[in-house]
Amino acid sequence: MSEEEISAEIILDHYRNPHNYGKLEGSNASMTEYNPICGDTVHFQLRIAGTVIEDAKFVGRGCSVSQASASMLTDMLKGKPIEYLESLTESGFLDVLGIKVGPAREKCALLSLTAAKKAVKASR
Ligand code: FES
């Protein structure tokens, strides 16, 4: 299996069995982002204590790329300092996802990252 194929498998697995899906109790930073082209949405929720992201969950609907990337981002952010999220670039996140997406799907892949960053900004 190529690295690309392995990444595609991981995406599919997160899509079928999303991690941290649902309402986050005690959420104090949240934001909904949607892709106006298809209408798919990601509602990303964080619970921040001081400078640390204690917990992260999401709800949403849409394509495998948008939903799987949200699932992966919740795993990545739990227990991390806020600066980790703030310093995570779009290209850095796309690298972590490991799949090649064209410009049209890039918006799908970045919905959750955009929502998470806006959530933190809005909570300040
Ligand atoms: Fe809608 Fe991907 S096709 S977010």
Side-chain angles (χ1 to χ4, degrees):
M1 237 194 234
S2 70
E3 268 184 41
E4 176 87 359
E5 284 169 339
I6 292 168
S7 297
E9 280 290 319
I10 292 170
I11 292 278
L12 214 55
D13 192 51
H14 274 272
Y15 179 57
R16 289 187 184 131
N17 305 295
H19 301 185
N20 310 304
Y21 190 92
K23 183 175 162 24
L24 177 61
E25 292 303 325
S27 163
N28 52 11
S30 66
M31 188 63 67
T32 302
E33 272 295 298
Y34 83 107
N35 186 344
I37 297 165
C38 60
D40 293 353
T41 64
V42 168
H43 177 62
F44 208 89
Q45 312 147 80
L46 300 163
R47 190 170 69 240
I48 298 169
T51 58
V52 174
I53 298 168
E54 276 189 341
D55 207 352
K57 282 193 170 195
F58 80 102
V59 290
R61 66 180 156 70
C63 67
S64 57
V65 176
S66 69
Q67 304 305 302
S69 58
S71 171
M72 289 168 86
L73 187 61
T74 57
D75 282 346
M76 288 166 67
L77 294 182
K78 282 176 164 213
K80 296 275 179 24
I82 292 171
E83 294 87 67
Y84 172 76
L85 169 59
E86 288 171 339
S87 65
L88 192 57
T89 62
E90 293 187 346
S91 64
F93 185 53
L94 292 173
D95 280 350
V96 172
L97 297 181
I99 47 161
K100 287 196 188 75
V101 288
R105 307 293 319 267
E106 230 177 71
K107 177 83 180 167
C108 309
L110 295 172
L111 270 188
S112 55
L113 182 63
T114 306
K117 283 180 182 265
K118 283 186 180 173
V120 168
K121 258 202 194 120
S123 75
R124 295 288 146 127

